[in-house]
Amino acid sequence: MQAIFISYDQAHHQAIIEILDKLSCRGFTAFGNVQGRGSVKGEPHYGSHAWPSLAQAMFTFVEDEKAPTLLERLKALDESKPRLGLRAFQWPITATI
């Protein structure tokens, strides 16, 4: 099993849920409005007058064989709208309850 953490512009939220649905990745935990800025480029997401956009974040846990496809589709979404921002990180899960 793999954990995928996704940090993204709030405009991507529904598209990410649709990607998860198409891959039959049912479980996720979404964190509402979060603030941050990318490590490479892009505008900050602070929800302020100067930087009004906000980010969201999500954790999902998927079977090993689904993780590469999920990351590929998230990368394609990011590349389709590069100014919005999206990052995803993968960790192996060694135990659950």
Side-chain angles (χ1 to χ4, degrees):
M1 180 167 283
Q2 301 293 313
I4 309 290
F5 176 77
I6 312 163
S7 177
Y8 54 93
D9 185 284
Q10 62 189 6
H12 283 313
H13 187 75
Q14 189 59 41
I16 291 171
I17 291 176
E18 289 171 11
I19 289 169
L20 293 172
D21 287 346
K22 287 179 183 173
L23 294 175
S24 299
C25 299
R26 179 170 158 64
F28 68 86
T29 299
F31 304 92
N33 296 330
V34 297
Q35 297 179 6
R37 65 179 181 208
S39 58
V40 178
K41 58 183 176 178
E43 297 181 355
H45 291 72
Y46 294 154
S48 68
H49 176 70
W51 304 104
S53 65
L54 283 166
Q56 293 186 327
M58 181 182 294
F59 253 121
T60 186
F61 298 86
V62 302
E63 294 86 3
D64 291 346
E65 62 274 4
K66 291 183 181 181
T69 304
L70 175 56
L71 290 175
E72 287 170 12
R73 294 191 184 178
L74 292 172
K75 183 177 181 185
L77 177 60
D78 180 45
E79 290 173 346
S80 73
K81 296 182 173 84
R83 296 206 53 185
L84 290 181
L86 185 154
R87 291 284 183 258
F89 306 89
Q90 177 179 331
W91 291 275
I93 300 303
T94 58
T96 65
I97 59 166

